[in-house]
Amino acid sequence: MLGEKGDFITSPEISQIFGELLGIWFISEWMATGKSTAFQLVELGPGRGTLVGDILRVFTQLGSVLKNCDISVHLVEVSQKLSEIQALTLTKEKVPLERNAGSPVYMKGVTKSGIPISWYRDLHDVPKGYSFYLAHEFFDVLPVHKFQKTPQGWREVFVDIDPQVSDKLRFVLAPSATPAEAFIQHDETRDHVEVCPDAGVIIEELSQRIALTGGAALVADYGHDGTKTD
């Protein structure tokens, strides 16, 4: 899935500089906002754990700055396979992981630098508290509703099995209006548009948490400024 021969490769897998710069940014934000006695580092969709590993390396190197701060790491990951890879990347081999599949915190451990680390399937399960949130190429992986403008109005685009080739997929237009059309802005001028309701829900949750308990969020995705189509 990830890597040079996979579906895509992400910047942390290309160079550690990216994550190290983010680590410095988080420390800078922590200092600028009053050096709280504790903070949570929360990453949504951590991939292989490379990015948070690079950030934690900086935290270790600048340990004298952070020495009086109680730091914990919280990873939001739905893939059991990826969570195992993250644990291999980030945790001490000699400290066994705690596992509880039925709990909101389905895995716990200690990072190589001695910081407590926990895994969750949903942002809602991460404890509320002063936090720095990171979502790197997370929002662009969430499912979208795809629409096309027709003479009859907006129509949702669905994925269908090609009747000519049974193992091939194709796009088809919905024959009539669908409930998801409520997501389209009334002043939309483009002919094709994609809408991601999940993104709005998660952004709202992040915003409310920061307003309530303080901290910051850094969201990085790659795309266009809204002038293109899908």
Side-chain angles (χ1 to χ4, degrees):
M1 186 186 85
L2 299 171
E4 239 175 301
K5 293 183 169 64
D7 294 332
F8 58 89
I9 188 163
T10 61
S11 37
E13 305 292 337
I14 295 168
S15 168
Q16 68 189 57
I17 292 173
F18 181 75
E20 290 174 351
L21 286 169
L22 296 192
I24 292 166
W25 182 80
F26 282 122
I27 293 173
S28 171
E29 285 296 299
W30 171 74
M31 294 171 76
T33 52
K35 295 185 180 180
S36 66
T37 54
F39 72 77
Q40 301 184 147
L41 178 63
V42 183
E43 187 176 6
L44 309 181
R48 294 178 178 274
T50 310
L51 184 58
V52 77
D54 292 337
I55 291 167
L56 292 179
R57 187 185 311 114
V58 170
F59 285 6
T60 301
Q61 289 168 341
L62 298 177
S64 58
V65 179
L66 294 164
K67 64 179 183 290
N68 296 322
C69 185
D70 187 14
I71 302 169
S72 56
V73 177
H74 305 261
L75 304 181
V76 179
E77 178 58 71
V78 295
S79 165
Q80 188 62 43
K81 175 70 175 171
L82 282 176
S83 68
E84 297 293 343
I85 294 171
Q86 292 152 15
L88 279 173
T89 304
L90 298 168
T91 62
K92 285 182 179 176
E93 288 176 20
K94 293 175 184 171
V95 181
L97 290 163
E98 290 179 43
R99 299 169 191 271
N100 185 348
S103 167
V105 190
Y106 66 87
M107 206 157 71
K108 275 184 180 179
V110 178
T111 70
K112 291 170 183 172
S113 55
I115 295 171
I117 182 168
S118 304
W119 280 262
Y120 312 78
R121 291 183 187 86
D122 196 300
L123 174 60
H124 288 282
D125 296 325
V126 177
K128 287 186 169 68
Y130 189 90
S131 302
F132 293 114
Y133 299 94
L134 178 60
H136 177 255
E137 295 196 58
F138 170 78
F139 284 95
D140 64 3
V141 186
L142 297 174
V144 296
H145 289 274
K146 181 177 168 72
F147 300 97
Q148 182 175 321
K149 196 177 275 181
T150 74
Q152 291 76 41
W154 285 103
R155 289 291 179 268
E156 192 164 1
V157 180
F158 291 136
V159 178
D160 185 26
I161 295 170
D162 192 325
Q164 310 298 324
V165 192
S166 62
D167 61 349
K168 193 177 176 189
L169 300 174
R170 62 173 186 165
F171 285 125
V172 294
L173 283 180
S176 56
T178 54
E181 285 171 31
F183 296 128
I184 298 175
Q185 302 293 318
H186 65 86
D187 56 354
E188 181 59 66
T189 56
R190 292 170 291 174
D191 294 331
H192 296 79
V193 68
E194 290 179 355
V195 182
C196 179
D198 287 2
V201 172
I202 294 167
I203 284 287
E204 188 172 15
E205 171 76 8
L206 288 174
S207 303
Q208 287 174 350
R209 282 169 170 257
I210 292 167
L212 185 71
T213 56
L218 182 66
V219 177
D221 276 298
Y222 303 90
H224 53 81
D225 59 6
T227 53
K228 297 180 177 66
T229 56
D230 57 8

